Amino acid sequence: MTVAGKWNPSHHPRDSRGRFTKSATRTLKPAEAKRARAAVAAFKPVDLGAASGDGQQWLDKNTRTPGNGDSGDAVGRYFTGGWKTTNADLRAKKDAASAPDVVAIDKAMTELPDDVMLERRVPLAMFAHIPMEELQGMKVRDAAYASTMLQGAGGDAPDGTVTMHIAAPAGTRAIVNGPDGEVLLDRDTEIAVARVEPNGRGGYDLYGVVIPKQGAAKPGRPAGEPGDGDSTDTPSTLKTPDAPDANSDQGADQNPVGGSAAADGTAPDPEPAPPAPAPAP
């Protein structure tokens, strides 16, 4: 006899029109939680906040112009409005990943050279299918490319917004778009959620870390060395550097996502298990 399981809407995200998407909420597997903990334990972000004045310099330094040809043309189209169609297709169409522009953008992705704190903001309405309190200890994944900005580089998020504070370890695949102040994360990037807190303005602050791929090593460090998955710390004891105390209101007024694709307004996909590390606000 088949036993019916309990429907969990957080595992079945929808787009802004209420349609199911390929983005999803899933439970963190033990190996993924281990890699997330290790990433937090080794996380040493460069100081790129607005106060330091080094953010734009870092963006410009790490902007790689693909030039003419398939990758350059596809990236240019994406940043000048093509993201609307590309991201919608990646979230909903079965064969979207084989589209020429997607193949070209994938090819243009490079690995971030440093540990960096990023921010992404999405309307709370995009999480309507997910009780925010249930995201802690889960992972979120967007089937599309995800536009982020350097933490602290923008203004306060509007009321009713979810601000994602993302610890991106060196080696995270992305395209740095210096002119727009944007760091575009690769499609299907998975983020372990450590903490979700109301921000007092009708929205939430969500803290998470990009989960390194299995066997991935930071630039300049061979796979298998400490910080590459060997951490034995428990998730509940880990925070990224300078993360505020859970009872503090620090970080409630952090900035959201910026860049050309920041306004696509689709929530990332989540996935659940042991609590993941907490990025600094």
Side-chain angles (χ1 to χ4, degrees):
M1 182 177 82
T2 301
V3 178
K6 182 179 179 181
W7 172 263
N8 187 340
S10 69
H11 289 194
H12 307 277
R14 301 172 185 260
D15 64 15
S16 58
R17 294 184 231 174
R19 301 171 301 182
F20 289 112
T21 80
K22 291 165 64 179
S23 301
T25 306
R26 297 287 179 270
T27 303
L28 273 171
K29 298 175 183 177
E32 294 169 333
K34 184 178 181 181
R35 295 200 301 275
R37 291 195 299 266
V40 169
F43 194 72
K44 295 180 175 59
V46 290
D47 180 10
L48 299 175
S52 73
D54 293 331
Q56 191 60 49
Q57 182 178 348
W58 184 91
L59 289 166
D60 293 341
K61 176 183 175 182
N62 291 291
T63 295
R64 301 283 181 266
T65 304
N68 297 325
D70 292 344
S71 289
D73 293 345
V75 171
R77 282 192 293 271
Y78 181 91
F79 285 130
T80 55
W83 57 268
K84 298 176 184 178
T85 300
T86 298
N87 282 354
D89 287 350
L90 284 169
R91 292 178 179 124
K93 288 190 176 180
K94 186 175 182 180
D95 59 351
S98 61
D101 272 14
V102 172
V103 172
I105 293 170
D106 287 350
K107 186 178 179 181
M109 289 282 165
T110 59
E111 295 184 347
L112 295 179
D114 305 297
D115 294 344
V116 291
M117 284 302 305
L118 304 173
E119 290 185 11
R120 175 172 173 77
R121 78 167 61 142
V122 295
L124 179 58
M126 295 299 101
F127 282 95
H129 62 290
I130 306 172
M132 294 299 297
E133 298 76 12
E134 294 183 12
L135 287 177
Q136 184 166 321
M138 302 174 74
K139 69 178 179 181
V140 300
R141 175 184 56 80
D142 198 335
Y145 303 108
S147 176
T148 72
M149 67 191 298
L150 296 179
Q151 176 155 282
D156 292 342
D159 293 350
T161 295
V162 175
T163 299
M164 301 176 67
H165 306 269
I166 304 167
T172 297
R173 284 174 55 79
I175 293 176
V176 178
N177 175 16
D180 289 326
E182 178 178 11
V183 178
L184 185 71
L185 295 179
D186 201 1
R187 60 190 179 90
D188 292 322
T189 295
E190 296 180 324
I191 298 170
V193 179
R195 200 165 78 247
V196 180
E197 299 174 347
N199 63 13
R201 302 190 313 280
Y204 290 83
D205 285 291
L206 182 154
Y207 302 89
V209 60
V210 173
I211 304 171
K213 301 292 184 184
Q214 180 129 22
K218 279 194 175 186
R221 185 181 65 209
E225 288 193 4
D228 203 37
D230 348 344
S231 172
T232 56
D233 291 334
T234 58
S236 61
T237 64
L238 287 175
K239 291 182 179 180
T240 50
D242 303 320
D245 181 81
N247 296 318
S248 168
D249 62 358
Q250 180 184 354
D253 295 321
Q254 295 299 324
N255 308 321
V257 157
S260 59
D264 74 14
T266 301
D269 327 341
E271 313 205 351

